[in-house]
């Protein structure tokens, strides 16, 4: 058998060439995703938001969002200022559109980096167990014993506020969840026979983690990432509320929300617009995340 | 025999103890000596928890042995480093008991079969590997249209065929079959057993067949080892064991095989009394003593050694000490 199998004819069935080169999983996932209405709505909204982020300069000028104009103070909606102006006379639409850049960039980047960092640590802790597990988990306990906000404040205060620093600070505040989540997922999986089967085939630990364990924990990870994007937008607004986010005139959804609070009675719409933007982003990311999780699991095919 | 045959696999006083608490050791495999010759099948039988699966996994070093040697063609593989062991894994394979748990649910059939070949780079290109995987599907009797299916879409027998194809993909010499048919229903059991036996003839494979099903083991094995609490109680050829079982435990096991014969309906089955004693820090003496109907004073004090009482027939029992 081994002899004639070195150079066999290309596998044929009914004279037709079958491509056994990976049955295109991406295609399959996309096909299943397309059938999921919620995910498609989420994807559509997200694409809209991303387009807004990319073409922000064409939608509304940046200057109108940062330059304070006294006579425009709390101006109502008008053709010139479609969403009105805030208490400093800055165009709300401009701030919203340009704020999307800052808010989303930080939230998405921090979400991804905390996921990568946390998942790696969690996978290592769960897979190797024993002393390594002990070491990582106890270090994590120390991390978690410090309140998130305090921790972020220390980091931002030490390194001064900028986008990269915010991303690092928020990553450190959020990665702990992933470690625990992935560790418990991995603990369930390492005893599975297919992991042992991989080892029997000579698979290295790294390969087992990457090709068997991560894909099988992807469901819980994805849902967490999408939930985190929205909570990070809100977390960032908390930071700007205590003055730790981007420096003052820079537009950002969280700070818009907190500054609008002062004039909530006179101009309630000022609160509504940034809040709506945050909710819409969170909503679309969550929908897409849910859909992706289902689409990636071949067991839920039908 | 003119020249002495070299066993393909030989274990020398192989032990695996699990630590279960302070000063408590679970003796899962306790001093097993066995030899498996090329092309032969050794059946390992015993009740649940007697360490037969652990033995299989320890021989493949999926579980590291506590002590003892595992010789492959006379070479001790317990001393191999990770690199050599990885190469060795191509020679030593395993077919798992549960075809539901042993296949990654997120990989398609062809990917599962190709996995070992990709890990070990046995063929130069991916195309060759997938072609060979498709060829292996033919070998184990799996229609090629299932190549892109996922394991959960197939029944138990087909899944087990995937597991067999995966094990064969690296051209192993020795395969541990860890109860490969116990999770399947009877009609499919026979198919899988026949497949395994055909493959053995074609590829000159050597099997270690772990099972609790005596009728299965009789069907497939050349030699049979009866295990009880991590130790070997009796080891002999398959025919001899069924004709002339010497150990009281083996006798009881054999009498418990259900026979499809109406005249045997009233035959008394020799039921073993009592429970298996704990494998944690076992007491000295014969492990089976507490349940043995021929138990004597001596059995509680000293452990019987495995002795050759007839050519090729090894028993560990004080009753068989004298000539039979």
């Amino acid at each position: 058998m081994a002899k004639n199998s070195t150079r066999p004819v290309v596998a044929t069935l009914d004279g037709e060439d079958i491509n056994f080169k990976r049955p295109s999983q991406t295609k399959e996932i996309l096909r299943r995703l397309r059938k999921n209405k919620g995910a498609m709505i989420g994807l559509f909204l997200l694409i809209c938001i991303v387009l807004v982020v990319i073409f922000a300069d064409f939608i509304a000028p940046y200057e109108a969002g940062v330059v304070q104009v006294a006579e425009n103070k709390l101006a109502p909606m008008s053709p010139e200022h479609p969403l009105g102006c805030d208490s400093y006379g800055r165009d709300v639409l401009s701030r919203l559109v340009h704020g999307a850049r800052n808010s989303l960039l930080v939230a998405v980047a921090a979400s991804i980096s905390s996921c990568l960092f946390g998942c790696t640590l969690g996978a290592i802790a769960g897979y190797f167990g024993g002393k390594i597990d002990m070491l990582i988990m106890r270090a994590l306990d120390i991390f978690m014993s410090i309140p998130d906000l305090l921790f972020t404040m220390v980091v931002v205060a030490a390194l001064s506020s900028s986008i990269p620093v915010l991303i690092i600070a928020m990553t450190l505040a959020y990665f702990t969840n992933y470690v625990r989540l992935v560790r418990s997922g991995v603990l369930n999986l390492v005893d599975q026979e297919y992991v042992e089967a991989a080892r029997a085939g000579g698979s290295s630990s790294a390969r087992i983690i990457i090709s068997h364990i991560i894909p099988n924990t992807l469901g819980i990870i994805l849902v967490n990432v999408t939930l985190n994007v929205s909570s990070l937008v809100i977390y960032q607004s908390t930071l700007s509320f205590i003055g730790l986010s981007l420096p003052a005139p820079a537009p950002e959804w969280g700070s818009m929300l907190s500054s609008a609070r002062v004039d909530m009675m006179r101009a309630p719409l000022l609160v509504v617009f940034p809040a709506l933007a945050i909710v819409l982003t969170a909503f679309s990311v969550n929908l897409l995340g849910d859909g992706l999780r289902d689409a990636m699991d071949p067991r839920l095919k039908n | 025999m003119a020249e002495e045959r070299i066993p393909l696999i030989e274990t020398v006083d192989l032990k695996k103890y699990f630590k279960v608490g302070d000063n408590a050791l679970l003796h899962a495999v306790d001093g097993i000596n066995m030899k498996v010759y090329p092309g032969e099948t050794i059946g390992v039988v015993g009740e649940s928890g007697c360490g037969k699966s652990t033995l299989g996994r320890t021989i493949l070093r999926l579980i590291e042995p506590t002590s003892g040697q595992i010789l492959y063609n006379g070479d001790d593989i317990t001393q191999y480093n990770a690199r050599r062991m990885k190469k060795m894994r191509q020679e030593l394979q395993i077919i798992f008991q549960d075809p539901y748990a042993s296949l990654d649910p997120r990989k398609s059939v062809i990917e599962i079969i190709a996995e070992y070949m990709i890990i070990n780079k046995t063929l130069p290109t991916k195309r060759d590997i997938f072609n060979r995987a498709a060829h292996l599907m033919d070998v184990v009797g799996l229609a090629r249209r299932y190549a892109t299916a996922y394991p959960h879409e197939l029944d138990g027998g087909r899944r087990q065929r995937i597991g067999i194809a995966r094990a064969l993909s690296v051209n192993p010499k020795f395969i541990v079959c860890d109860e490969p048919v116990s999770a399947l229903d009877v009609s499919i059991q026979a198919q899988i057993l026949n497949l395994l036996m055909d493959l053995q003839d074609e590829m000159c494979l050597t099997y270690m067949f772990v099972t609790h099903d005596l009728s299965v083991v009789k069907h497939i094995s050349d030699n049979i080892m009866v295990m009880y609490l991590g130790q070997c109680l009796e080891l002999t050829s398959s025919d001899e064991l069924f004709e002339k079982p010497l150990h009281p435990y083996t006798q009881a096991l054999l009498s418990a095989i259900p026979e499809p014969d109406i005249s045997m309906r009233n035959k008394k089955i020799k039921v073993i009394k009592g429970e298996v004693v704990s494998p944690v820090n076992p007491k000295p003496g014969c492990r089976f003593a507490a349940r043995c109907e021929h138990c004597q004073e001596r059995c509680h004090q000293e452990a019987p050694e495995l002795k050759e009482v007839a050519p090729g027939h090894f028993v560990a029992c004080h009753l068989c000490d004298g000539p039979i």
Side-chain angles (χ1 to χ4, degrees):
Chain A
M1 182 220 80
K3 272 174 252 148
N4 55 21
S5 67
T6 43
R7 278 274 162 194
V9 260
V10 176
T12 55
L13 182 75
D14 307 331
E16 209 180 315
D17 276 14
I18 302 178
N19 188 10
F20 282 120
K21 250 180 127 188
R22 212 182 166 83
S24 183
Q25 286 210 325
T26 9
K27 240 185 214 165
E28 186 68 7
I29 289 169
L30 285 180
R31 189 186 62 80
R32 269 179 260 153
L33 193 65
R34 228 174 289 141
K35 281 202 284 192
N36 186 333
K37 280 203 188 86
M40 287 336 277
I41 294 171
L43 187 65
F44 175 74
L45 285 175
L46 208 61
I47 289 173
C48 291
I49 294 168
V50 170
L51 285 178
V52 166
V53 169
I54 294 170
F55 296 108
D57 290 324
F58 298 100
I59 299 168
Y62 181 72
E63 282 72 31
V66 284
V67 178
Q68 304 179 8
V69 185
E71 58 263 33
N72 281 344
K73 188 180 177 190
L74 297 177
M77 291 193 232
S78 63
E80 215 173 309
H81 303 289
L83 299 181
C85 290
D86 68 3
S87 53
Y88 294 102
R90 296 174 297 200
D91 183 45
V92 171
L93 182 67
S94 286
R95 287 184 70 72
L96 211 55
V97 165
H98 289 275
R101 269 190 187 166
N102 294 330
S103 294
L104 283 180
L105 179 69
V106 174
V108 170
S111 196
I112 291 172
S113 64
S114 60
C115 170
L116 289 179
F117 187 48
C119 289
T120 315
L121 273 183
I124 291 171
Y127 184 81
F128 292 103
K131 287 207 178 92
I132 298 174
D133 184 25
M134 220 355 217
L135 205 70
I136 292 177
M137 293 318 283
R138 293 300 81 78
L140 201 69
D141 285 346
I142 297 172
F143 251 89
M144 289 195 301
S145 65
I146 307 168
D148 287 353
L149 199 59
L150 192 69
F151 197 81
T152 319
M153 279 166 69
V154 172
V155 175
V156 174
L159 298 171
S160 85
S161 187
S162 67
I163 287 183
V165 170
L166 274 180
I167 293 173
I168 293 172
M170 287 159 101
T171 301
L172 290 176
Y174 270 80
F175 83 99
T176 51
N177 276 336
Y178 290 103
V179 180
R180 289 191 302 162
L181 203 72
V182 171
R183 177 177 170 269
S184 67
V186 170
L187 281 181
N188 280 331
L189 290 174
V190 283
D191 289 336
Q192 293 281 335
E193 267 186 345
Y194 61 80
V195 171
E196 200 173 15
R199 209 172 305 133
S203 197
S204 63
S205 297
R207 203 196 132 89
I208 290 176
I209 291 178
I210 293 167
S211 99
H212 295 286
I213 293 190
I214 295 284
N216 277 292
T217 38
L218 211 58
I220 40 172
I221 296 174
L222 256 178
V223 171
N224 236 266
V225 171
T226 55
L227 283 175
N228 263 8
V229 169
S230 44
S231 64
L232 277 167
V233 171
I234 295 161
Y235 188 64
Q236 201 187 355
S237 72
T238 316
L239 289 182
S240 48
F241 190 79
I242 52 173
L244 281 177
S245 190
L246 299 175
E252 186 256 312
W253 293 349
S255 60
M256 285 173 74
L257 203 58
S258 57
S259 65
R261 185 188 49 105
V262 184
D263 299 304
M264 205 157 79
M265 286 312 173
R266 280 184 290 170
L269 282 179
L270 282 185
V271 183
V272 171
F273 292 126
L276 208 63
I278 293 173
V279 168
L280 217 63
T281 310
F283 180 67
S284 61
V285 175
N286 281 354
L287 275 181
L288 185 65
D290 265 2
L292 263 182
R293 179 197 52 184
D294 291 348
M296 280 177 156
D297 193 341
R299 281 166 295 187
L300 297 174
K301 204 176 227 173
N302 303 313
Chain B
M1 211 169 289
E3 55 186 293
E4 206 173 312
R5 290 186 302 164
I6 302 172
L8 185 73
I9 285 281
E10 183 178 355
T11 65
V12 182
D13 202 23
L14 191 66
K15 287 180 183 164
K16 177 66 203 179
Y17 297 163
F18 292 104
K19 218 175 160 192
V20 287
D22 297 335
N23 302 321
L25 286 175
L26 190 151
H27 295 224
V29 175
D30 206 355
I32 295 285
N33 292 294
M34 65 173 212
K35 288 176 181 168
V36 194
Y37 293 96
E40 284 187 354
T41 300
I42 186 162
V44 178
V45 292
E47 57 196 286
S48 305
C50 71
K52 52 194 194 305
S53 286
T54 310
L55 175 65
R57 275 152 215 234
T58 310
I59 289 175
L60 300 186
R61 280 186 70 195
L62 287 174
I63 301 173
E64 288 296 326
T66 309
S67 70
Q69 290 178 313
I70 305 159
L71 307 176
Y72 176 81
N73 277 333
D75 212 5
D76 186 5
I77 63 168
T78 56
Q79 303 304 320
Y80 280 19
N81 58 16
R83 196 125 152 256
R84 281 183 86 184
M85 200 56 217
K86 185 185 170 188
K87 257 196 142 168
M88 204 62 217
R89 295 213 180 280
Q90 295 184 43
E91 314 276 314
L92 310 170
Q93 271 304 319
I94 180 165
I95 296 168
F96 289 93
Q97 170 177 15
D98 186 349
Y100 295 84
S102 62
L103 308 173
D104 188 339
R106 285 176 188 260
K107 299 228 183 300
S108 64
V109 171
I110 198 93
E111 284 178 293
I112 292 171
I113 298 175
E115 188 186 2
Y116 288 3
M117 293 187 279
I118 293 171
I119 295 169
N120 293 299
K121 300 187 185 71
T122 49
L123 291 170
T125 67
K126 280 233 165 139
R127 190 188 177 79
D128 291 338
I129 285 175
F130 281 108
N131 273 331
R132 175 156 154 76
H135 177 71
L136 281 166
M137 290 180 75
D138 300 341
V139 172
V140 298
L142 204 59
R144 284 190 179 187
R145 68 193 139 94
Y146 295 123
T148 53
Y150 288 93
H152 72 273
E153 295 166 337
L154 305 178
D155 61 49
R158 292 208 176 90
R159 284 161 174 245
Q160 198 54 289
R161 285 174 201 270
I162 301 172
I164 295 171
R166 173 172 64 184
L168 292 177
S169 68
V170 286
N171 290 323
K173 302 276 188 308
F174 178 71
I175 300 182
V176 173
C177 305
D178 186 9
E179 309 208 30
V181 295
S182 63
L184 308 174
D185 63 55
V186 183
S187 62
I188 296 172
Q189 282 191 4
Q191 289 176 15
I192 297 292
L193 284 177
N194 287 335
L195 172 66
L196 286 172
M197 283 168 27
D198 290 345
L199 292 171
Q200 181 168 37
D201 290 344
E202 276 169 44
M203 304 180 196
C204 192
L205 298 170
T206 307
Y207 289 147
M208 173 174 156
F209 205 93
V210 176
T211 183
H212 59 256
D213 189 335
L214 282 162
S215 44
V216 165
V217 92
K218 185 182 184 183
H219 190 62
I220 199 166
S221 307
D222 299 299
N223 290 308
I224 296 179
M225 179 164 93
V226 180
M227 267 183 90
Y228 188 79
L229 285 176
Q231 291 184 328
C232 171
L233 296 189
E234 189 160 4
L235 171 64
T236 183
S237 72
S238 178
D239 298 333
E240 172 113 354
L241 187 94
F242 279 86
E243 268 163 38
K244 226 168 63 182
L246 291 177
H247 200 284
Y249 180 61
T250 316
Q251 288 164 1
L253 279 185
L254 293 180
S255 89
I257 301 176
E259 280 173 75
D261 183 350
I262 193 104
S263 64
M264 304 294 270
R265 186 180 260 184
N266 295 323
K267 190 189 89 167
K268 255 200 122 140
I269 295 176
K270 220 191 210 175
V271 179
I272 311 175
K273 292 187 190 70
E275 285 259 348
V276 185
V277 295
S278 167
V280 177
N281 293 344
K283 279 179 268 176
C286 176
R287 299 259 162 107
F288 187 58
R291 302 171 77 186
C292 183
E293 51 183 357
H294 308 292
C295 179
Q296 304 159 347
E297 190 55 37
R298 192 179 163 203
C299 300
H300 287 293
Q301 264 124 43
E302 57 176 308
E305 274 175 42
L306 195 67
K307 283 182 198 146
E308 190 163 15
V309 293
H313 195 151
F314 297 83
V315 186
C317 182
H318 290 310
L319 291 177
C320 308
D321 266 359
I324 328 163

